Amino acid sequence: MRPLEELTRPNIWALKPYSSARDEYSGNEAKVFLDANENPYNNPLNRYPDPLQKGLKARLAQIKGVAKENIFLGNGSDEAIDLAYRCFTRPGTDNVVAIEPTYGMYKVCADINNIEYRPVLLDQDFQIKSYKLLKACDKHTKLIWLCSPNNPTGNNLNRNEIVKTIECFDGLVIVDEAYSDFSQERPLRLEIDKYPNLIVLNTFSKAWGCAAIRLGMAFADKKIIDIFNKVKYPYNVNALTQKNALEALAEPYEVDKWIKIILLERSRMIDAFKLLPSCEKVYPTDANFFLAKMHDAQTIYDYLKSNGIIVRNRTHVSLCDDCLRITIGSKTENNELLAALRQY
């Protein structure tokens, strides 16, 4: 790995971050707060939230098995994705490498930040080869983007190939584990102590059923987390989000129950799809969705939409011709989808 100072934008490395009133004061002994120009009325919403989400990170450290100093929290995972570009890539000079197909925000953020985006096509089994990713890199490649389980394909990427990439690349490797709670594979966030160039993303939007509160996580070496915290907006995670996240974390076994139900429904739905005349193939999945190759996906998508059923049409995505991405819903929702397709 190149020195972190070399990987970081020079202006970011030299940046003196904004210091908020709550950054300068920390502790619970104070009772009169006259430091932040807040309105004294409408408690508790009149007060700025903890800018570093210390209480939430302490609880997350217990649940996720990662030290709190190795955790960054943001407004969805998309904030961490964008920060990676803003902290470690220079517009018009650097580039990033990513698998294709994958989550679209990696490319959107590259375009926003004027960074060259180099996609490397997966094979027909939606798998990676480390040497192909590394071959696409040059001296200006700062980041490699991986998503496992991948979106929209649903499968885990080969762990040995991920590790080879991390070990052989001298920049930062970012592995998005948004769907890892639905997988049997050991999360890579538990390996960050071994790999100082690894950043692992996770989210409250999927298994935790909290998409509305917009809370994303990044797990990495403390030096990387410190850079993220230096660049983020002072109060990037609001008080309501922190409160709702702590309430969700108080009931982790409820989430485990949801996951078991979703996985059972996933198996049932895949078996049912394989029997549909309109379905050609269902691809293996380790997520809370599956990718199905259909006969004329666009027509089927339009038919379902006309019946008030929304799935994701991925037919124009690389390697996903005539494919629909099906999220596992409740049993009632799943049955409505199957009933409509059986009548198609």
Side-chain angles (χ1 to χ4, degrees):
M1 176 183 173
R2 282 174 274 178
L4 194 59
E5 181 177 358
E6 183 181 331
L7 291 172
T8 307
R9 280 191 199 178
N11 64 303
I12 298 300
W13 188 263
L15 177 69
K16 183 178 180 181
Y18 173 78
S19 180
S20 71
R22 295 297 131 83
D23 280 319
E24 295 173 6
Y25 166 80
S26 62
N28 299 316
E29 67 276 5
K31 60 182 179 180
V32 177
F33 289 96
L34 303 175
D35 58 340
N37 299 338
E38 298 157 322
N39 188 321
Y41 306 109
N42 197 33
N43 189 59
L45 299 182
N46 59 325
R47 300 299 181 188
Y48 286 108
D50 177 0
L52 291 176
Q53 312 95 30
K54 293 183 287 294
L56 180 51
K57 286 178 181 175
R59 180 61 177 142
L60 269 172
Q62 297 172 336
I63 297 292
K64 295 292 187 179
V66 177
K68 59 186 178 182
E69 58 266 25
N70 298 115
I71 302 173
F72 169 83
L73 298 180
N75 185 353
S77 297
D78 292 340
E79 180 177 1
I81 292 169
D82 185 57
L83 276 175
Y85 282 100
R86 291 200 285 139
C87 292
F88 301 115
T89 60
R90 294 168 296 169
T93 300
D94 292 329
N95 65 74
V96 302
V97 168
I99 58 174
E100 173 72 22
T102 194
Y103 180 44
M105 278 303 295
Y106 312 142
K107 186 178 189 309
V108 169
C109 285
D111 292 342
I112 290 170
N113 286 279
N114 191 25
I115 301 299
E116 181 189 356
Y117 185 87
R118 298 181 174 183
V120 175
L121 202 63
L122 298 174
D123 66 22
Q124 292 302 310
D125 295 318
F126 299 139
Q127 281 297 339
I128 61 168
K129 293 296 184 184
S130 178
Y131 77 89
K132 290 185 178 180
L133 293 169
L134 297 170
K135 187 177 179 181
C137 300
D138 62 21
K139 65 179 181 179
H140 293 296
T141 307
K142 293 291 189 67
L143 310 173
I144 294 179
W145 292 98
L146 303 174
C147 184
S148 184
N150 191 27
N151 178 13
T153 61
N155 61 301
N156 282 320
L157 300 180
N158 183 290
R159 179 57 60 92
N160 289 334
E161 295 299 314
I162 294 177
V163 171
K164 284 181 190 177
T165 303
I166 296 168
E167 292 178 340
C168 295
F169 182 52
D170 63 359
L172 300 174
V173 177
I174 305 178
V175 181
D176 191 340
E177 292 189 333
Y179 302 97
S180 61
D181 294 289
F182 303 101
S183 169
Q184 299 301 309
E185 198 154 76
R186 175 181 167 87
L188 267 171
R189 70 170 183 273
L190 302 177
E191 307 289 330
I192 57 173
D193 289 343
K194 293 169 58 176
Y195 305 114
N197 64 329
L198 172 64
I199 301 172
V200 178
L201 305 182
N202 201 211
T203 178
F204 268 71
S205 297
K206 311 303 177 185
W208 289 87
C210 290
I213 72 173
R214 306 307 302 129
L215 185 64
M217 297 159 273
F219 306 98
D221 185 275
K222 182 180 182 299
K223 293 179 181 177
I224 293 174
I225 299 299
D226 288 344
I227 292 173
F228 276 7
N229 284 330
K230 183 162 70 167
V231 176
K232 76 173 184 68
Y233 291 121
Y235 303 109
N236 63 322
V237 179
N238 68 67
L240 298 177
T241 290
Q242 294 186 46
K243 177 177 180 292
N244 278 278
L246 282 167
E247 290 173 355
L249 290 167
E251 300 290 343
Y253 298 112
E254 186 73 7
V255 176
D256 292 339
K257 182 176 74 175
W258 294 341
I259 291 171
K260 289 177 182 177
I261 294 171
I262 289 170
L263 293 181
L264 286 172
E265 277 294 290
R266 186 182 74 184
S267 296
R268 183 177 76 92
M269 289 294 288
I270 289 174
D271 289 343
F273 254 71
K274 289 178 179 178
L275 297 176
L276 293 172
S278 58
C279 180
E280 181 179 327
K281 178 179 182 179
V282 177
Y283 293 94
T285 180
D286 300 284
N288 67 328
F289 62 86
F290 61 89
L291 193 69
K293 189 172 182 64
M294 311 296 288
H295 298 293
D296 195 353
Q298 183 64 56
T299 300
I300 296 172
Y301 172 82
D302 293 337
Y303 162 76
L304 291 173
K305 186 169 66 172
S306 70
N307 283 272
I309 300 171
I310 309 301
V311 296
R312 200 74 189 269
N313 185 4
R314 301 285 77 188
T315 193
H316 299 299
V317 173
S318 299
L319 302 179
C320 297
D321 185 50
D322 268 328
C323 286
L324 298 179
R325 192 190 71 189
I326 312 296
T327 302
I328 304 302
S330 68
K331 189 169 186 176
T332 299
E333 291 171 323
N334 297 335
N335 286 341
E336 285 193 41
L337 170 62
L338 291 174
L341 287 174
R342 285 165 180 158
Q343 294 173 23
Y344 173 72

